[in-house]
Amino acid sequence: MKKTILYIVLAALCLNFRAKAQAVTKLTGRVIDSAQNTPLHGATIKIKSTGTTTSTNEKGDFTLYTKESSGKLTISYLGYKTTEISFNPTDKDPFAIRLAEDKNLLKEVSVVSTGYQNIPKERATGSFVLADSALLNRSVSTNILDRLNSVTSGVLFNNSSNLQFGQSAIEIRGRATLFSNPSPLIIIDNFPYDGDPGNINPNDIESITILKDAAAASAWGSRSGNGVIVITTKKGHLNSAPQVSFNANTTVGARPDLYYLPQLTSAQYIGVEQYLFNQGAYDNAISTGYQALSPAVEIFSAARNGTISKSDSLSEINTLKSYDSRAQLLKYFYRPSVNQQYQASVSGGSATQKYFFSAGYDKNLNNTVNSSYDRITLNAANTWYFLKNKLELFTNIVYTGSTTKSGPALASTDYPYDQIADANGNPLAIANTLSIPYGSTAGNGALLNWLYKPLQELENGYSGTTSSLTDYRINVSLSYQIIKGLKASGLYNYEKGINDVNNLNELQSYYTRNLINTFTNIDPVSGAVTYPVPMGAILNTSLTNISSNNGRFQLNYDHHWGKNAVSAIAGTEVKDYTTFNNAYTLYGYNPETATDQNQAVDFTAYNPYFYGYNTAQIPANTSETGTTNRFFSVYFNGSYTYDDKYILSLSARKDESNLFGVSANQKGVPLGSAGLAWIIDKESFYAIDWLPQLKLRATYGYTGNVNTSISAYLAAVGGNIAQTYNAYASTIVNPPNPSLRWEVDRNTDLGMDFGTKDNRISGSIDYWLKAGLDLIGSSPIAPQTGISLYTGNSANTITKGIDLQINSINLKGKFKWTTTFLYNYCQNKVTQYKVSNGTNLNVVSANYNNPLQGYPYYAIFSFKYAGLNKSGDPQGYLNGKISTDYTSIMNATNRTELVYNGSATPTSFGSLRNTFNYKTFDLSFNITYKLGYYFRRASLNNGTLYSAGPNSYQMADFDSRWQKPGDELHTNVPALVYPDNIYRDDLYTYSNILVVNAAHIRLQDLRLGYTIPKRPICHSET
């Protein structure tokens, strides 16, 4: 009996011990910003004794389980002071933890967004660039993407006014394709944005994340090859009182400097015209009686015909020599630009709801008169939480309406001495298609006025174009937390864009008068006048509709246990993107009644011109085009963290489309990535006090690119009525290619993040490698198929580089000084291209059409130049010997006779940004640089000089040309010859002596700010 009792007691004690061993303490709480009372999403909570870690959710809440009954919690958040609190068995209520911003640390965005999930930056294995609202608001622009220029690592902005063939204005880690879409994918609030980035109001943006490597970008699969720009808009904050903000800014720009480009003086140009006139270059044009002639040639002709005296002609020529059309262009056609931007918003939230509403208005007056841009944006975002925060509903409606107007522009005149107004400002006629004397008398009064007066067109606003763009974007998402750590989400995005472009050419406009007169017929016997083009205005209109539907179902799983943490997402999504455009022209249009006379127009008849011997059809300008692209995707993305030090990430995705493959297994492409990260500073053996932050990263994976202009099936575009047989015809765009595959980019990235004590110096460095595989290009095919070239997977490239960012806190205290240095290196080359590059002239003039293997896609090649001979003729090399056989030099295919000068795009670029703060003042300036690239400068060209138009006189080196024997000893500029030899011109134009190093350093911007101190609106005294 005693033994039995003893067993029971021992068993009870064992059970008691087991119960105590299994007791678990649940710790809950919320982390908020002490100043703003806003939740801190992604804050790290760690039990000091065991290292068990978790992070806060979007509402700042956390839950942590531990076997410890008491101890200390360490709470940290990037940019905030780390704090410690104690916990013990008596704690019953959730912890309310308030973190204060650390003013000595550089502010950073601590959570990166991939468009599918938010990841604490510390736990990311991929390569990201983060820009918060403070950095974005550092500059002022209508376009949000412009605000990333020169402040984001690995991102190159190309001059949009000087883009090369097929070049994107923004490149992330170089070019990932040859002939497909080169632009980065833009994501707004979790979905791809297919509209114009100019529709996005920068003041509605909370932050931007740029995804650069496979681990970061591969979540977007076949559209991520060019990098991804993820834009997150403002959405308000929980438990926040209403906050009203108003933003207003005005940017004023000077008139363009028309004197910047070198050009011939009026006297020099008239001297060339005199030379050409004496050579008989204008005799054919003069003999027609109607072709446009310059004022100087009109005077030369009149003097030769004896209609004016020699002294009068000399006086008139001297008067022309004194004119410079740039002065009048600046006076009448250009103005200072003024860009105004206004925005008002209200945001806030309760414990179960948050909101953000905004309205914006932009008004831009561009440099050219009668050119403007107006934009209205409305944004309404609401988030509700139900069922004890288990159910989350988000809705967002964004409206953008913009109007772009452009009037008749005259960037430059055909001749440097053209005058568009007399001394009193009255409009003057200038030669256009027809000579002024002919235009003044043709038809003996039966025709409309045929003179072209650009200033009159401008003053009356003739031939203006109005583009009205409307863009709607609707986002709806519903998320439900099924169990702890598991959340299901359904998301839907609808986007609708309408762009209505109308170009109204009034009856009084030169465009309409010229077209009506050109086809007018006067019966030589009866004098009866017929008008194939009816009297009235001419309206050219184009209407484009874009619609996009995106749907997604996703599961999110987050689980922490002990030293382990798993975060994963899996889902599927569908996308339907449709565009449709129709364009047409209305003749005899009456704007007041919106009626036209197109039924009276015979678009099939060939009508003789009023002048000369040409005949032509009246342009119908009618077209309808549309595309429908559909995509289906499944994806997975997950990460595993052990002991808060070792991180493994994996992703997999398969995209399918109606564009690729005939068989089912070719319609899709599998893509994926793997990444590793090691936070070394958390190791017990790590003891580098001056470098308390050190993290290594490595990623490998595949991204892709889509070319929506081709298909695996036979593609043809229906045309208008054929001119010869009056039968409808279609044009084959691409022959069938059942083996057509997706473009793929293989990415490798090795990175390191670091920070010294107190973050005095911090930053990151990445070495990356990107191989483009199965890129779309031209490829030869057997001629018996009916074609010699087809577009398909026929090219490969490789791009490699370095991204370096260093941040430093140089001074602290009342006077603060911080610096950010960016350095990027990017080099690419084509490793495979199957089409012949053609002649040496093809290579030096347009290498990008058929790029050479082993060189960059944008490469500059040149002819080896051997200087001038004794006659002033340029010399090159043929078969290793100096030659002036220009035809043979141009048609040679020996590449050793060419010079590779270098890349036409920067291989090194970056910036140095300094910011100074003193009390309420701040001063910031950004110095940018682009190195390691070249450009071909313009010089004297015989053929261009002898033609009409601005290009004929806007060139350099006219005074440096060869003019007499011996000049070849000190100049390389050829002599002028007539008639012109185009190949002779090409040898000099594409010679190596005209290639110049484009490297430069510039002061990008200078910013001075003053923050008005907060003061109470009213106060009371006792």
Side-chain angles (χ1 to χ4, degrees):
M1 183 65 181
K2 291 181 179 179
K3 186 180 291 187
T4 302
I5 295 173
L6 178 61
Y7 286 156
I8 294 173
V9 171
L10 290 174
L13 289 173
C14 290
L15 289 172
N16 187 44
F17 291 152
R18 180 175 296 178
K20 286 187 176 180
Q22 292 178 340
V24 175
T25 301
K26 179 181 180 182
L27 305 174
T28 62
R30 175 174 292 175
V31 182
I32 63 174
D33 182 301
S34 61
Q36 303 292 332
N37 291 325
T38 55
L40 296 179
H41 180 201
T44 300
I45 296 89
K46 181 167 66 175
I47 298 177
K48 194 171 184 180
S49 59
T50 64
T52 304
T53 303
T54 189
S55 59
T56 56
N57 61 18
E58 189 182 55
K59 300 173 67 176
D61 295 334
F62 70 89
T63 300
L64 192 62
Y65 295 92
T66 178
K67 297 178 182 179
E68 304 293 324
S69 60
S70 61
K72 288 184 178 294
L73 290 178
T74 301
I75 301 94
S76 60
Y77 191 75
L78 198 59
Y80 288 77
K81 294 179 180 178
T82 300
T83 188
E84 284 188 0
I85 62 173
S86 300
F87 67 90
N88 54 64
T90 62
D91 295 321
K92 302 297 183 183
D93 297 327
F95 293 99
I97 303 168
R98 304 170 67 87
L99 294 187
E101 184 180 336
D102 191 336
K103 302 296 184 180
N104 294 325
L105 295 180
L106 292 177
K107 289 191 67 177
E108 295 186 44
V109 181
S110 60
V111 177
V112 295
S113 173
T114 67
Y116 287 95
Q117 62 181 152
N118 294 326
I119 305 172
K121 184 182 177 184
E122 187 182 48
R123 300 184 184 181
T125 62
S127 182
F128 301 84
V129 175
L130 309 169
D132 62 6
S133 58
L135 183 60
L136 296 174
N137 291 328
R138 183 183 175 278
S139 61
V140 177
S141 64
T142 304
N143 192 314
I144 180 61
L145 298 184
D146 291 341
R147 301 192 179 193
L148 299 174
N149 190 5
S150 302
V151 297
T152 46
S153 177
V155 183
L156 175 65
F157 279 72
N158 300 304
N159 188 344
S160 58
S161 62
N162 194 31
L163 292 176
Q164 302 186 63
F165 172 83
Q167 190 175 27
S168 172
I170 303 176
E171 293 181 357
I172 299 176
R173 288 189 169 179
R175 187 179 180 91
T177 186
L178 292 182
F179 303 109
S180 299
N181 177 22
S183 301
L185 174 65
I186 298 176
I187 307 297
I188 301 182
D189 289 337
N190 306 321
F191 283 104
Y193 180 65
D194 297 305
D196 182 356
N199 294 334
I200 306 169
N201 189 336
N203 297 301
D204 287 342
I205 305 307
E206 182 71 31
S207 65
I208 294 179
T209 305
I210 299 176
L211 317 180
K212 299 192 293 184
D213 70 341
S218 62
W220 291 101
S222 61
R223 300 186 65 186
S224 61
N226 301 311
V228 183
I229 299 175
V230 181
I231 301 175
T232 303
T233 61
K234 298 175 182 177
K235 298 177 178 64
H237 300 283
L238 294 171
N239 300 307
S240 176
Q243 296 183 1
V244 179
S245 67
F246 178 73
N247 177 287
N249 59 70
T250 300
T251 304
V252 179
R255 287 183 173 91
D257 183 5
L258 300 185
Y259 296 90
Y260 177 75
L261 292 175
Q263 72 173 48
L264 276 68
T265 65
S266 296
Q268 290 173 330
Y269 191 78
I270 290 173
V272 173
E273 290 186 298
Q274 179 71 73
Y275 166 73
L276 294 176
F277 182 83
N278 295 337
Q279 298 292 326
Y282 303 112
D283 287 352
N284 286 337
I286 293 172
S287 65
T288 65
Y290 60 81
Q291 285 191 26
L293 300 172
S294 75
V297 174
E298 292 276 14
I299 295 172
F300 297 151
S301 179
R304 184 174 64 182
N305 295 335
T307 54
I308 61 173
S309 66
K310 183 176 181 180
S311 59
D312 288 342
S313 68
L314 182 61
S315 175
E316 292 184 20
I317 288 295
N318 287 334
T319 300
L320 290 181
K321 289 180 179 180
S322 67
Y323 292 153
D324 189 331
S325 62
R326 292 174 292 189
Q328 289 196 341
L329 289 173
L330 285 172
K331 179 179 180 180
Y332 295 108
F333 281 84
Y334 292 98
R335 65 187 176 191
S337 64
V338 180
N339 296 344
Q340 303 173 69
Q341 190 174 80
Y342 307 93
Q343 193 231 26
S345 67
V346 57
S347 64
S350 63
T352 58
Q353 189 247 350
K354 60 182 181 181
Y355 58 87
F356 177 84
F357 302 104
S358 72
Y361 175 67
D362 293 74
K363 185 175 182 62
N364 297 348
L365 300 178
N366 302 330
N367 278 129
T368 52
V369 176
N370 285 349
S371 176
S372 64
Y373 173 78
D374 292 81
R375 181 181 70 184
I376 295 176
T377 59
L378 300 173
N379 185 3
N382 275 284
T383 308
W384 292 272
Y385 298 89
F386 308 98
L387 304 178
K388 297 182 179 180
N389 297 329
K390 287 187 175 183
L391 182 66
E392 176 185 337
L393 173 64
F394 169 72
T395 63
N396 182 213
I397 300 176
V398 180
Y399 165 81
T400 301
S402 66
T403 301
T404 302
K405 294 183 178 181
S406 58
L410 190 67
S412 53
T413 57
D414 285 346
Y415 309 102
Y417 47 79
D418 268 330
Q419 294 293 283
I420 56 179
D422 62 19
N424 297 319
N426 298 312
L428 293 176
I430 63 174
N432 194 291
T433 306
L434 303 173
S435 69
I436 293 178
Y438 180 83
S440 303
T441 59
N444 296 319
L447 301 178
L448 300 174
N449 186 315
W450 216 337
L451 296 179
Y452 172 57
K453 298 181 179 180
L455 184 57
Q456 184 182 65
E457 302 280 311
L458 177 74
E459 291 176 340
N460 290 283
Y462 293 150
S463 297
T465 300
T466 300
S467 175
S468 300
L469 190 149
T470 304
D471 186 89
Y472 305 90
R473 197 170 74 250
I474 300 174
N475 276 357
V476 179
S477 67
L478 188 66
S479 301
Y480 181 73
Q481 184 173 323
I482 302 172
I483 59 175
K484 177 178 171 53
L486 180 62
K487 182 172 70 172
S489 302
L491 302 89
Y492 173 74
N493 167 268
Y494 174 74
E495 183 182 339
K496 177 71 173 180
I498 303 171
N499 191 12
D500 188 5
V501 181
N502 290 290
N503 168 232
L504 178 63
N505 300 279
E506 295 82 356
L507 176 61
Q508 300 82 3
S509 69
Y510 177 76
Y511 176 92
T512 300
R513 289 184 284 115
N514 178 56
L515 194 63
I516 292 176
N517 286 347
T518 298
F519 288 108
T520 295
N521 180 269
I522 301 178
D523 189 284
V525 178
S526 64
V529 181
T530 57
Y531 301 99
V533 177
M535 284 291 176
I538 300 175
L539 177 67
N540 299 308
T541 185
S542 170
L543 181 64
T544 302
N545 281 271
I546 298 174
S547 65
S548 175
N549 289 272
N550 294 267
R552 181 188 305 164
F553 176 77
Q554 179 173 305
L555 292 174
N556 292 56
Y557 180 71
D558 291 278
H559 183 54
H560 301 257
W561 73 100
K563 296 183 178 181
N564 306 276
V566 171
S567 178
I569 63 171
T572 182
E573 60 184 0
V574 293
K575 177 183 178 68
D576 180 286
Y577 176 69
T578 301
T579 65
F580 187 81
N581 170 271
N582 58 45
Y584 52 88
T585 297
L586 300 179
Y587 293 94
Y589 182 74
N590 186 335
E592 295 182 357
T593 60
T595 57
D596 63 87
Q597 302 177 48
N598 270 25
Q599 291 183 346
V601 179
D602 185 353
F603 292 105
T604 62
Y606 282 83
N607 299 284
Y609 280 17
F610 185 82
Y611 55 87
Y613 304 98
N614 290 332
T615 61
Q617 293 174 310
I618 297 172
N621 298 331
T622 301
S623 66
E624 288 189 349
T625 58
T627 60
T628 297
N629 297 324
R630 297 190 176 99
F631 300 88
F632 172 79
S633 307
V634 291
Y635 59 89
F636 166 83
N637 197 310
S639 67
Y640 169 73
T641 303
Y642 177 74
D643 201 16
D644 234 14
K645 295 180 290 190
Y646 314 108
I647 305 168
L648 168 67
S649 68
L650 296 170
S651 72
R653 180 182 177 106
K654 185 176 183 181
D655 290 324
E656 294 185 351
S657 169
N658 62 329
L659 296 172
F660 296 89
V662 174
S663 59
N665 63 345
Q666 291 179 326
K667 291 182 180 294
V669 57
L671 301 169
S673 70
L676 292 171
W678 181 20
I679 306 178
I680 303 178
D681 60 75
K682 294 187 177 182
E683 295 286 1
S684 58
F685 61 79
Y686 188 82
I688 305 178
D689 294 336
W690 61 271
L691 192 65
Q693 301 175 40
L694 184 60
K695 175 183 174 182
L696 299 181
R697 296 176 280 105
T699 63
Y700 178 84
Y702 292 85
T703 56
N705 199 9
V706 178
N707 189 323
T708 58
S709 65
I710 59 176
S711 172
Y713 299 92
L714 172 67
V717 173
N720 295 324
I721 296 176
Q723 294 184 356
T724 304
Y725 303 105
N726 287 336
Y728 287 97
S730 295
T731 302
I732 294 179
V733 177
N734 201 66
N737 181 5
S739 61
L740 185 68
R741 302 179 301 279
W742 304 65
E743 291 189 345
V744 173
D745 295 292
R746 184 178 63 224
N747 296 263
T748 303
D749 185 281
L750 300 174
M752 179 177 69
D753 303 322
F754 58 88
T756 63
K757 192 174 183 180
D758 295 329
N759 259 6
R760 292 302 291 262
I761 299 177
S762 63
S764 64
I765 182 170
D766 288 79
Y767 170 77
W768 53 269
L769 187 68
K770 180 162 55 177
L773 308 174
D774 286 338
L775 302 185
I776 302 297
S778 296
S779 183
I781 192 172
Q784 56 265 35
T785 62
I787 55 175
S788 58
L789 287 176
Y790 81 99
T791 302
N793 305 97
S794 59
N796 294 335
T797 63
I798 189 166
T799 310
K800 59 183 178 180
I802 296 173
D803 295 342
L804 172 66
Q805 177 168 342
I806 298 178
N807 310 306
S808 67
I809 303 174
N810 307 314
L811 293 175
K812 297 193 295 185
K814 289 186 177 180
F815 183 81
K816 301 175 185 177
W817 173 23
T818 61
T819 300
T820 297
F821 173 71
L822 302 179
Y823 171 76
N824 303 105
Y825 172 76
C826 177
Q827 187 178 59
N828 76 88
K829 66 179 179 179
V830 178
T831 57
Q832 178 179 328
Y833 194 78
K834 297 180 179 179
V835 178
S836 169
N837 308 96
T839 66
N840 281 354
L841 178 60
N842 296 139
V843 173
V844 299
S845 61
N847 170 61
Y848 46 76
N849 284 333
N850 293 303
L852 260 65
Q853 294 184 21
Y855 296 95
Y857 177 66
Y858 291 117
I860 294 184
F861 292 90
S862 304
F863 292 115
K864 292 180 182 178
Y865 198 62
L868 304 176
N869 62 17
K870 294 182 179 180
S871 301
D873 295 318
Q875 303 176 114
Y877 289 89
L878 184 64
N879 299 322
K881 298 179 180 180
I882 295 177
S883 173
T884 56
D885 185 353
Y886 305 122
T887 301
S888 297
I889 293 174
M890 295 300 110
N891 291 319
T893 57
N894 183 2
R895 307 301 186 221
T896 61
E897 293 181 344
L898 297 180
V899 177
Y900 168 61
N901 301 102
S903 172
T905 58
T907 56
S908 294
F909 59 94
S911 64
L912 179 67
R913 187 172 74 251
N914 284 276
T915 302
F916 303 90
N917 298 88
Y918 178 71
K919 293 184 178 180
T920 55
F921 290 92
D922 65 272
L923 172 67
S924 176
F925 64 89
N926 196 14
I927 298 173
T928 62
Y929 61 91
K930 293 181 179 179
L931 312 172
Y933 73 118
Y934 300 83
F935 76 99
R936 179 175 281 112
R937 73 175 183 87
S939 184
L940 186 66
N941 182 289
N942 269 203
T944 305
L945 180 65
Y946 296 164
S947 63
N951 292 333
S952 66
Y953 60 85
Q954 290 179 343
M955 60 179 66
D957 302 326
F958 180 79
D959 286 334
S960 301
R961 72 191 186 282
W962 187 98
Q963 299 182 58
K964 62 183 184 301
D967 285 351
E968 68 273 6
L969 301 177
H970 55 78
T971 185
N972 285 308
V973 184
L976 296 179
V977 295
Y978 183 86
D980 173 53
N981 183 332
I982 186 171
Y983 284 161
R984 178 181 183 271
D985 290 345
D986 287 339
L987 175 60
Y988 174 66
T989 298
Y990 296 109
S991 67
N992 58 309
I993 62 166
L994 292 181
V995 177
V996 180
N997 192 332
H1000 66 273
I1001 301 174
R1002 60 178 291 180
L1003 176 63
Q1004 180 75 13
D1005 57 61
L1006 178 66
R1007 179 182 184 274
L1008 177 63
Y1010 174 73
T1011 303
I1012 301 174
K1014 293 182 179 180
R1015 293 187 177 92
I1017 298 176
C1018 59
H1019 65 278
S1020 61
E1021 296 181 356
T1022 58

